[in-house]
Amino acid sequence: MILAFILLGALTIIGGIITIAAKNAVHAALGLVGTLLCVAGLFATLNASFLAATQVIVYAGAVMVLFLFVIMLLNANQPVTSRDPVPFVRELAGIGGTVLAGAFVVLAFTYKDPRPLADSAAALEGGSALKMGETLLTRFLLPFEAVSILLLVAIVGAVALVQRPAAQPDGVPDELEAPVGTAQEQRSFGPRAAGQPALQTGREGEVSA
Amino acid sequence: MVPTSSYVALSGILFALGMIGVLTRRTAIMVFLSVELMLNAANLALVAFARSWGDPTGQTAVFIVMTLAAAEVAIGLAIIVAIFRKRETTNVDDLAALKG
């Protein structure tokens, strides 16, 4: 048990370091996948078998696929190479993070278990889906329903957000939006891009409307 | 059995790593990945405390946090895609103006 904790803990931290330090975003995402899998293993050592399975399926599976998909879709795997807006932000974050981690470690070791660990672990019954579902549908019924509504809102919101808008006159220049889009947009933007007068596009728009 | 303190200490280290990532990375997607790291650190602490008290409430809370994280990722990545279409960048410094 102790060996499993040390191994999984070390791998978790290594994965976390890869996540925050990797230059390539795909490598960072894969580092996070490793971390999530190791956290799932830690859940299994903590008598939470259902959560371990959920962690692998939902987090390491679905969520990370979404991440990798977006990274590759946006071609965002190359690092951003502009100047730092805040001077010494890396050094300050490193020092702050080290201090925070040290404080957490010191605080963690002041915690005393309220009763013998073997008894509490036995009370969890291995963290089975039965035990969790019982809590979820009695004491946690309202959060459970709220979360289901939240998921519905998230689905609708994501669809609404990535819909291609018809026109957004907000003053921000859209240089690269012209060539793609619906047939209507292509017709109105295409001739102007080819250097023809704007009058013609206006007439075309009227005819098709 | 490994004491709860060790798990909570590991969770604290993981949280600090996530915080460093949020502060130093410049791409919005990388900031999101670091936030996921912090959420997982919190989950780990919750599960450790659930074992410490012998109460499945902590594990149920982790389940809800996981759902929230999934919703947050779906919405956040949709926002990033929408911004990327408009600005051709996901650098958070360039997006700091909050103008459309």
Side-chain angles (χ1 to χ4, degrees), chain A residues 52-69:
Chain A
T54 317
Q55 173 91 2
V56 173
I57 295 170
V58 174
Y59 247 128
V63 170
M64 292 316 294
V65 164
L66 195 59
F67 261 113
L68 282 172
F69 184 74

Side-chain angles (χ1 to χ4, degrees), chain A residues 63-87:
Chain A
V63 170
M64 292 316 294
V65 164
L66 195 59
F67 261 113
L68 282 172
F69 184 74
V70 171
I71 288 171
M72 290 171 178
L73 180 76
L74 300 187
N75 205 9
N77 52 357
Q78 296 310 313
V80 178
T81 53
S82 56
R83 219 167 47 78
D84 278 342
V86 184

